[in-house]
Amino acid sequence: ELRDVKILIQVLKEAGAEIQVDGTTVSCARGAFPSGSINPIASEIRYSLLLLGLASALKSELLLPMPGGCKIGDRKYDLHLLGLSKLGSAVEETDEGIHIASSGNIGAEIEFYLPTTSGTENIMIAAAIADGETTILNANTRPEIMELAKLLNLMGADVECSNRVVQIKGAKSIKGGIRYSVMPGWDEAVTYIIASTMTGGEICIPDFSLDFIKEDARLLKEIGIDVFEWGGSVYASGKKAKRSFDLFTAPYPGINSDMQPIFAALAFVVDGKSTITDLRFTERFKYIDELKKFGGSVHSFGNTAIVEGGRPLKGAEVKATDLRGGEYFILTDLVSEGTTVISNVSQIERGYENIVSKLQQLGANIESQQS
């Protein structure tokens, strides 16, 4: 039900793929993909970029509208194009979008100048049925990458992941007929842990492991939040006093840039000044101007924000600037006096499924007003 997933399914189906959705199960087959033009709606999501790697692997041709996603600064896709070109695909940027054509890939050594999640995934997909071995150096090897490797291997590929290195031995073909369960949403879990503990509450998240969020859990404990795992579930309590903190984002296993707005909201309820430094997206603090409407003390400069906690906050009318920034406003309102009205909530719906009902289940006074 995530908006981005819905768009991706729509784009794939219109391009010839056979996809059926039955509750929480999605069945996929290649069908006639890729056929015809790609719906321009693909430009609204970042992960439309993976259609390039898919077309490359299938020895096909594709014109992709320029990718979208959160407007959080300079989000280049040059590493995607560089990697696909090194594998032998012809890639060209035009006024209409990104054009790729492949007659078959040859393995290569590809080194990223910075770790990229979707860039790593794109090369893994394209190299899965290339001729020879591909090595990605300085890859992003966060849990999602590991899960993709497991899926590809079940389908007959040969992918091996270690810390920041991915090796793919190209197979002649890979097969379908696989059933696979999607990993838990670690980012959603961290969000609800912080949401509940900001208000001094407690939460249980079943069927989850701290292995996905080791560094996040370490920082939460340092702040004063009790976080532990027992019986296949994660428990968190925010009843103790909370301390200020310094956060630096980093590639996995560090704290992901996606989480810095969520931790920034937590900083409002701790004593003292906390600093949030984003080493990946230096312009991810666009939400700060909207955040000042709540009346708290928060300032940003360069790639850093400083939040002074412990001050009273009041509800406000704000606009979600991006996915996580929008969620930030929801968390901040949980500890604010009065009512907050958030517009442009489609940004939040891109990455949080049924967020209103889940927060209501936790006791929040929140409702969605459909336009």
Side-chain angles (χ1 to χ4, degrees):
E1 292 298 318
L2 296 179
R3 182 171 177 269
D4 279 19
V5 175
K6 287 182 174 180
I7 290 176
L8 188 57
I9 289 174
Q10 176 186 343
V11 169
L12 284 166
K13 289 175 71 173
E14 291 178 359
E18 296 176 0
I19 300 178
Q20 293 183 335
V21 180
D22 181 11
T24 59
T25 299
V26 181
S27 302
C28 314
R30 178 183 177 180
F33 179 87
S35 63
S37 59
I38 300 297
N39 190 322
I41 198 174
S43 64
E44 296 185 16
I45 61 174
R46 179 73 176 176
Y47 269 87
S48 61
L49 278 166
L50 296 189
L51 298 183
L52 297 174
L54 185 57
S56 175
L58 296 173
K59 302 179 183 180
S60 302
E61 186 175 357
L62 186 76
L63 177 61
L64 179 73
M66 290 300 183
C70 290
K71 308 302 181 184
I72 51 176
D74 189 9
R75 303 189 78 187
K76 297 178 180 178
Y77 47 80
D78 58 322
L79 292 175
H80 299 245
L81 308 190
L82 171 67
L84 293 170
S85 297
K86 282 197 170 185
L87 292 176
S89 295
V91 185
E92 180 184 9
E93 292 185 76
T94 70
D95 292 339
E96 297 177 303
I98 304 171
H99 180 267
I100 188 167
S102 171
S103 57
N105 290 320
I106 299 176
E109 182 175 290
I110 299 167
E111 182 176 348
F112 292 151
Y113 59 78
L114 57 81
T116 161
T117 302
S118 53
T120 300
E121 292 168 334
N122 234 341
I123 304 308
M124 290 169 65
I125 293 169
I129 46 179
D131 183 9
E133 184 171 332
T134 297
T135 301
I136 310 173
L137 303 174
N138 202 24
N140 197 328
T141 47
R142 58 199 278 185
E144 294 90 329
I145 304 295
M146 302 292 191
E147 291 293 302
L148 176 58
K150 291 177 184 177
L151 174 61
L152 288 170
N153 287 338
L154 286 174
M155 299 173 72
D158 188 345
V159 183
E160 182 178 337
C161 294
S162 56
N163 191 22
R164 306 288 278 277
V165 178
V166 177
Q167 293 179 300
I168 310 108
K169 295 180 181 177
K172 290 185 178 180
S173 64
I174 58 176
K175 62 183 185 301
I178 303 300
R179 291 187 63 90
Y180 200 82
S181 295
V182 176
M183 64 175 283
W186 62 267
D187 50 346
E188 192 176 14
V190 172
T191 299
Y192 289 118
I193 287 172
I194 289 179
S196 60
T197 56
M198 281 178 66
T199 60
E202 298 177 319
I203 191 172
C204 168
I205 301 179
D207 303 319
F208 189 67
S209 170
L210 291 179
D211 287 344
F212 295 117
I213 56 168
K214 290 180 180 179
E215 188 60 21
D216 305 73
R218 184 201 63 77
L219 180 58
L220 288 169
K221 292 175 183 178
E222 185 179 293
I223 292 169
I225 295 171
D226 289 328
V227 184
F228 62 94
E229 189 174 346
W230 184 75
S233 299
V234 167
Y235 296 81
S237 172
K239 294 186 177 298
K240 294 181 180 178
K242 302 171 185 66
R243 297 177 288 274
S244 59
F245 58 92
D246 300 309
L247 182 155
F248 294 82
T249 66
Y252 187 83
I255 295 177
N256 192 279
S257 175
D258 285 352
M259 289 296 100
Q260 62 96 333
I262 309 303
F263 275 94
L266 175 60
F268 269 134
V269 300
V270 306
D271 293 328
K273 292 183 179 180
S274 298
T275 61
I276 315 287
T277 302
D278 198 319
L279 301 177
R280 177 63 178 91
F281 296 113
T282 58
E283 296 179 32
R284 195 160 202 161
F285 294 102
K286 291 181 178 179
Y287 62 86
I288 294 296
D289 288 339
E290 290 287 289
L291 188 63
K292 291 178 180 179
K293 296 178 181 179
F294 288 90
S297 176
V298 54
H299 306 281
S300 65
F301 49 89
N303 65 342
T304 299
I306 298 177
V307 182
E308 185 172 348
R311 296 194 178 192
L313 305 173
K314 61 181 185 297
E317 291 192 12
V318 291
K319 179 180 179 179
T321 54
D322 60 74
L323 196 169
R324 309 297 170 182
E327 177 61 20
Y328 186 129
F329 299 142
I330 293 179
L331 299 190
T332 302
D333 185 54
L334 293 175
V335 291
S336 298
E337 182 179 348
T339 301
T340 292
V341 178
I342 304 171
S343 60
N344 199 29
V345 293
S346 61
Q347 286 284 353
I348 302 172
E349 293 168 346
R350 291 180 47 235
Y352 289 93
E353 184 180 56
N354 302 326
I355 187 170
V356 171
S357 61
K358 289 177 181 177
L359 286 172
Q360 288 173 341
Q361 182 181 340
L362 290 171
N365 184 1
I366 181 174
E367 62 182 31
S368 175
Q369 298 178 346
Q370 300 295 332
S371 57

